[in-house]
Amino acid sequence: MRILAAMSGGVDSAVAAARAVEAGHDVVGVHLALSRAGGTLRTGSRGCCTIEDALDARRAADLLGIPFYVWDFSERFRDDVIDDFIAEYQAGRTPNPCMRCNEKIKFAALLERAIELGFDAVCTGHYATLIDGEHGLELHRASDNAKDQSYVLGVLTTEQLAHTYFPLGTTPSKAIVRAEAEARGLTVAQKPDSHDICFIPDGDTRGWLAEKVGTATGEIVDRAGEVVGSHEGAHAFTVGQRRGLKLGVPAADGKPRFVLEVRPVSNTIVVGPKEALAIAEIAGERYSWAGAGPVDSSFACHVQIRAHSEPVAAVATVTDDGVRVVPEVPLDGVAPGQTAVLYVGTRVLGQFTIDTTVSAVPVGA
């Protein structure tokens, strides 16, 4: 196949490209410049897509003997990921920019251009596997559960899966990938993995958002509507947050309180006991299937609400209004805007963006 290898400058994408070359494919490397003013150097494992990362990707491509290009996707990234991130927080939701980047940039904009240029597939260093199932191509978890990245790939459609290539999916561990990179002479063999939000490399999401959307004083109330404090911007809070609330009125039982809800229209934060974070039901209108969709309108599955959280057994129901999921045991601290990925065994069935949640603890209970 003609393969376009997305090379981030990390060890995973470098080894993925190397395996594609070794498998006999015609491989071209590409690094995505996602910022017009990218940082020069990474800080440990914080951030990605820096000038240093681009140079690391080029060095890997040179060692592999493949052509290499840097494509400027900064405008698309700003519109589809950064602006979306800001808008979601302003709407009181908790977005996942990595999901949006996979959906809009790596497997939409990049894949579209790759196909236009005659490539058969885009190769990445994601840990996930593709299997030819009874009803067509299926996305499954990676062999290494500790590195499994199928959750962040849950947004991929059937058409996109048909043009993807994940050489690392069956690798038993990340240690093997690093050892292979070392043996191949790749300088990124021991490079730290990237964490945090790439466009907020210092990790100060609250400060970054304050610069983008400003501050606006509002009330913090308990579940009964009593004012217990004030804040300087609803965007700085997310469901499940405990620190930084600075409440002026202590809880009657003396226990700490957590953010239960963000109401952007009234600029109000609702707080309450930890037990109230338990969620008995989630639902969303925006959904997609990664391969053949469910046969029945109601079906048993497992739901996962974070990249590294444990999947929970549940029953999902699909209607004209979207997807509703009732877990066997309550989910913890779920926020609108998060992505719920549905699994049947190791297979990723699909995903939806959470719009509404129902607490397992009624007000006053």
Side-chain angles (χ1 to χ4, degrees):
M1 294 190 296
R2 289 198 69 210
I3 297 288
L4 185 67
M7 304 182 70
S8 67
V11 62
D12 291 327
S13 60
V15 171
R19 290 186 180 183
V21 171
E22 192 171 63
H25 299 299
D26 178 10
V27 182
V28 173
V30 63
H31 179 81
L32 303 184
L34 302 180
S35 172
R36 290 286 177 87
T40 303
L41 298 174
R42 290 158 54 102
T43 302
S45 61
R46 288 193 178 276
C48 64
C49 314
T50 63
I51 295 173
E52 177 189 340
D53 292 315
L55 294 174
D56 284 341
R58 179 176 292 280
R59 280 190 285 267
D62 288 344
L63 182 66
L64 298 175
I66 61 174
F68 178 82
Y69 301 92
V70 175
W71 287 356
D72 182 1
F73 274 34
S74 59
E75 188 172 336
R76 182 78 179 258
F77 185 77
R78 182 198 64 209
D79 293 344
D80 290 341
V81 180
I82 298 178
D83 288 352
D84 175 81
F85 182 82
I86 295 170
E88 286 290 280
Y89 262 102
Q90 287 179 307
R93 294 187 287 266
T94 302
N96 185 325
C98 293
M99 299 287 287
R100 200 63 64 234
C101 184
N102 280 333
E103 177 187 13
K104 300 292 187 178
I105 305 299
K106 295 177 183 175
F107 296 98
L110 177 61
L111 186 55
E112 288 167 9
R113 185 176 293 185
I115 292 174
E116 288 174 358
L117 294 174
F119 288 93
D120 299 303
V122 166
C123 165
T124 73
H126 286 99
Y127 288 77
T129 56
L130 293 173
I131 296 175
D132 284 319
E134 182 181 353
H135 302 290
L137 199 60
E138 298 175 354
L139 175 64
H140 285 254
R141 291 189 184 277
S143 298
D144 181 7
N145 282 332
K147 290 299 296 180
D148 174 55
Q149 292 175 300
S150 60
Y151 172 86
V152 296
L153 299 172
V155 292
L156 300 190
T157 65
T158 303
E159 178 64 23
Q160 290 169 332
L161 289 176
H163 295 283
T164 58
Y165 182 43
F166 303 129
L168 305 188
T170 58
T171 306
S173 74
K174 177 65 174 273
I176 292 175
V177 172
R178 290 196 181 279
E180 182 177 331
E182 197 84 59
R184 292 180 181 276
L186 293 166
T187 59
V188 293
Q190 300 305 320
K191 187 175 180 178
D193 291 337
S194 175
H195 298 294
D196 301 306
I197 301 171
C198 67
F199 51 88
I200 311 178
D202 64 1
D204 183 13
T205 302
R206 176 182 290 195
W208 187 88
L209 283 168
E211 290 181 1
K212 301 297 181 183
V213 303
T215 59
T217 302
E219 295 178 339
I220 301 178
V221 302
D222 62 18
R223 299 184 87 194
E226 296 295 323
V227 177
V228 295
S230 63
H231 65 83
E232 295 184 351
H235 61 268
F237 298 85
T238 188
V239 171
Q241 180 177 331
R242 174 186 172 185
R243 298 184 182 279
L245 301 183
K246 300 178 182 178
L247 303 179
V249 180
D253 59 6
K255 294 182 179 179
R257 285 177 287 197
F258 298 76
V259 174
L260 304 180
E261 188 179 348
V262 178
R263 298 174 178 170
V265 175
S266 61
N267 195 29
T268 303
I269 304 299
V270 181
V271 298
K274 182 176 178 60
E275 307 85 71
L277 287 170
I279 297 299
E281 182 181 316
I282 58 177
E285 298 178 0
R286 297 166 289 174
Y287 64 89
S288 64
W289 305 121
V295 176
D296 301 316
S297 60
S298 185
F299 54 92
C301 63
H302 280 76
V303 61
Q304 188 170 327
I305 59 170
R306 299 180 184 87
H308 302 294
S309 65
E310 286 295 321
V312 176
V315 173
T317 302
V318 184
T319 68
D320 292 339
D321 296 325
V323 182
R324 179 173 64 90
V325 172
V326 178
E328 285 188 3
V329 296
L331 302 172
D332 183 42
V334 184
Q338 285 181 262
T339 301
V341 176
L342 305 181
Y343 291 82
V344 175
T346 61
R347 181 191 169 193
V348 177
L349 188 63
Q351 61 81 37
F352 66 93
T353 301
I354 300 170
D355 295 321
T356 59
T357 63
V358 178
S359 176
V361 181
V363 176

